[in-house]
Amino acid sequence: MPDPRVLLEAVSVLSGCQVESTSGRSQLSPQDLVNIVALREFYKQEGFRELDYPSIGTMSLHDPDQDDADLYSPAPALTAGPGPGPARQPERNRVMLNPEDFFHPQYDYDFTKIQDGGKQFLRGNEPYVRPCGWNRAALRVTQLHEGGDAWLGTGSGAWPVSYHGHGMDGSLGVILVHGGEPQDEPEYLDAAAASLTEQRTHGRGVYSTPDVTLAEKHCKTFRSQVDGKTYKVLLQNRINPKARASCQREDVWLVYIQKDLNHIQTRATVEQAIRPYGLLLKEL
């Protein structure tokens, strides 16, 4: 298992919070982490400046971390409110996390020296590209969901694997095959023709990918205050195939979020669609 202190730094970078160790109860669960990562990106797409999240409070959506910067370096100034106004430094929300109830070392896996080559793996009868070159710290997610842990397995009832990299949003140029409504799936050519006449070509929602190489291009990078090393960080998830919208890009998966949903319904949509199980680190 990587140094737990470095793992907490990685959680800080992904969540945008100041995460500190505690021997008490964690304020964040692994599901909370993927919710926050996904919702921060989604609400930034929607033009919001803040995110309200239970047990944490109001979080700034301004990203204080810069690639290859010290983890806790001062954040750039952010203008408060629309129009002219004083600049302010967005503060990180302080969050306490107990590594013992957040991580699950029994299921850690070090892929740093593994090369799969032509080997093929399946999860939920779909190709699984293992994160070769990365070190995975397992998250404590077993025996938490109704229906057991089949979603986390390797058989036909398992959910496919996806990776979430920071900055994965509509800029990826995704065009929905279904034209924007998850239940409607016209043929590819019809959707492509519609995209030429409609302004709405990007999917509205939360993005991830089955391709760890693509996710790496959009991941966060930080320099650890613990060991002075620089790391890339990703989340490894399982995605509910029933909640995944079809796109013309096979290497991008979208959880579509309807426009009429409130904040609670939006969070519930993410929770029903994406479940994290690994925190991935790669040393540069």
Side-chain angles (χ1 to χ4, degrees):
M1 180 180 183
D3 189 318
R5 296 172 299 171
V6 176
L7 295 179
L8 292 184
E9 290 181 321
V11 175
S12 295
V13 167
L14 285 173
S15 66
C17 299
Q18 176 70 40
V19 178
E20 299 178 9
S21 180
T22 180
S23 58
R25 184 177 180 180
S26 293
Q27 286 180 257
L28 283 181
S29 69
Q31 185 65 52
D32 288 324
L33 177 59
V34 76
N35 289 353
I36 291 170
V37 172
L39 292 173
R40 282 175 62 87
E41 289 304 310
F42 172 68
Y43 281 120
K44 280 194 289 186
Q45 292 179 57
E46 295 297 296
F48 288 79
R49 295 191 179 194
E50 294 179 331
L51 166 68
D52 288 324
Y53 197 85
S55 78
I56 296 179
T58 301
M59 305 171 58
S60 171
L61 296 182
H62 176 73
D63 189 356
D65 294 310
Q66 304 295 328
D67 285 356
D68 298 324
D70 287 322
L71 183 61
Y72 304 118
S73 58
L78 176 69
T79 300
R88 62 180 175 88
Q89 294 283 90
E91 296 181 357
R92 292 174 179 267
N93 296 65
R94 185 169 177 263
V95 174
M96 306 308 294
L97 188 150
N98 187 335
E100 292 187 4
D101 65 29
F102 192 86
F103 298 106
H104 207 165
Q106 177 184 349
Y107 297 103
D108 288 354
Y109 202 101
D110 188 351
F111 292 93
T112 55
K113 297 182 180 179
I114 293 179
Q115 296 294 330
D116 284 338
K119 295 180 182 178
Q120 295 184 343
F121 301 88
L122 296 176
R123 295 293 184 270
N125 290 335
E126 296 194 30
Y128 165 40
V129 180
R130 301 203 301 175
C132 296
W134 296 78
N135 196 351
R136 182 177 71 202
L139 304 178
R140 194 171 292 277
V141 295
T142 57
Q143 301 179 355
L144 293 179
H145 300 280
E146 184 178 352
D149 294 332
W151 65 276
L152 194 55
T154 60
S156 59
W159 289 8
V161 174
S162 79
Y163 301 95
H164 195 106
H166 176 78
M168 294 187 67
D169 54 28
S171 63
L172 293 170
V174 169
I175 298 177
L176 299 182
V177 172
H178 49 62
E181 294 298 331
Q183 63 271 25
D184 298 328
E185 295 193 5
E187 296 297 323
Y188 175 92
L189 292 178
D190 291 340
S195 72
L196 297 176
T197 58
E198 297 182 8
Q199 293 298 316
R200 182 185 60 196
T201 58
H202 293 165
R204 182 180 188 271
V206 174
Y207 290 78
S208 62
T209 176
D211 183 355
V212 68
T213 303
L214 174 61
E216 184 174 357
K217 295 178 181 178
H218 298 272
C219 73
K220 293 284 289 185
T221 301
F222 70 96
R223 185 162 65 245
S224 171
Q225 296 290 303
V226 174
D227 59 16
K229 298 177 181 178
T230 300
Y231 296 92
K232 293 182 177 180
V233 57
L234 286 172
L235 276 175
Q236 187 175 26
N237 315 305
R238 298 296 184 98
I239 187 168
N240 186 344
K242 296 180 180 179
R244 182 182 59 193
S246 299
C247 304
Q248 292 180 8
R249 283 191 62 169
E250 294 182 355
D251 60 347
V252 178
W253 290 347
L254 174 72
V255 175
Y256 184 82
I257 297 178
Q258 300 180 44
K259 289 186 177 181
D260 58 349
L261 300 184
N262 59 34
H263 296 315
I264 295 175
Q265 293 169 324
T266 297
R267 187 173 73 248
T269 298
V270 174
E271 290 180 347
Q272 293 167 6
I274 304 176
R275 295 175 181 173
Y277 72 106
L279 182 68
L280 300 178
L281 292 178
K282 176 185 279 191
E283 183 181 336
L284 298 183

